[in-house]
Amino acid sequence: MKINLIKVPEHYKEIYRTNKPIILITGGRGSGKSFNVSTFLKRLSYEENQVILYSRYTMVSANDSIIPEIQEKIEMEGDFDNFEVTKTVVVNKVSGSPILFRGIKISSGNQTAKLKGIQ
């Protein structure tokens, strides 16, 4: 299997160096947030005992936007045999580490209580 690593722009390299357990990424439209974060999370999932929570304020159509973004990076880097993808989770079959997708806001307010059960 040939791995083709995606080049990381200089201003996104800090997310690879930090030891912080929570990383908050902000920026304007077209700044590359989704592309670079999905690349980073896919790579981070190779570490064992990781449970990665990918959260947005609203998660109306994760299977139409965010999950395909991760799938694209899996395909670009050529390691699709190492991942299992469903509508709500991407699991790294090598490490067992999942990437979970959850929204904070729902139509009736927020659903932060649903996030409390994720360790």
Side-chain angles (χ1 to χ4, degrees), residues 7-9 12 15-16 31-40:
K7 188 174 190 249
V8 178
Y12 282 101
I15 63 176
Y16 288 84
S31 63
K33 295 180 303 294
S34 293
F35 186 94
N36 288 288
V37 167
S38 60
T39 302
F40 170 71

Side-chain angles (χ1 to χ4, degrees), residues 28-89:
R29 183 179 302 173
S31 63
K33 295 180 303 294
S34 293
F35 186 94
N36 288 288
V37 167
S38 60
T39 302
F40 170 71
L41 294 179
K42 181 202 80 81
R43 293 173 179 174
L44 180 64
S45 75
Y46 277 98
E47 293 184 14
E48 289 185 5
N49 302 315
Q50 291 288 341
V51 177
I52 301 164
L53 175 63
Y54 192 123
S55 182
R56 285 189 167 179
Y57 188 60
T58 61
M59 196 64 74
V60 176
S61 57
N63 57 334
D64 292 333
S65 60
I66 300 166
I67 294 174
E69 184 84 32
I70 300 257
Q71 282 181 290
E72 177 188 51
K73 303 321 169 291
I74 291 168
E75 291 170 10
M76 287 175 75
E77 293 195 323
D79 51 353
F80 42 82
D81 290 339
N82 295 340
F83 290 88
E84 180 180 339
V85 180
T86 71
K87 290 183 177 187
T88 59
V89 66

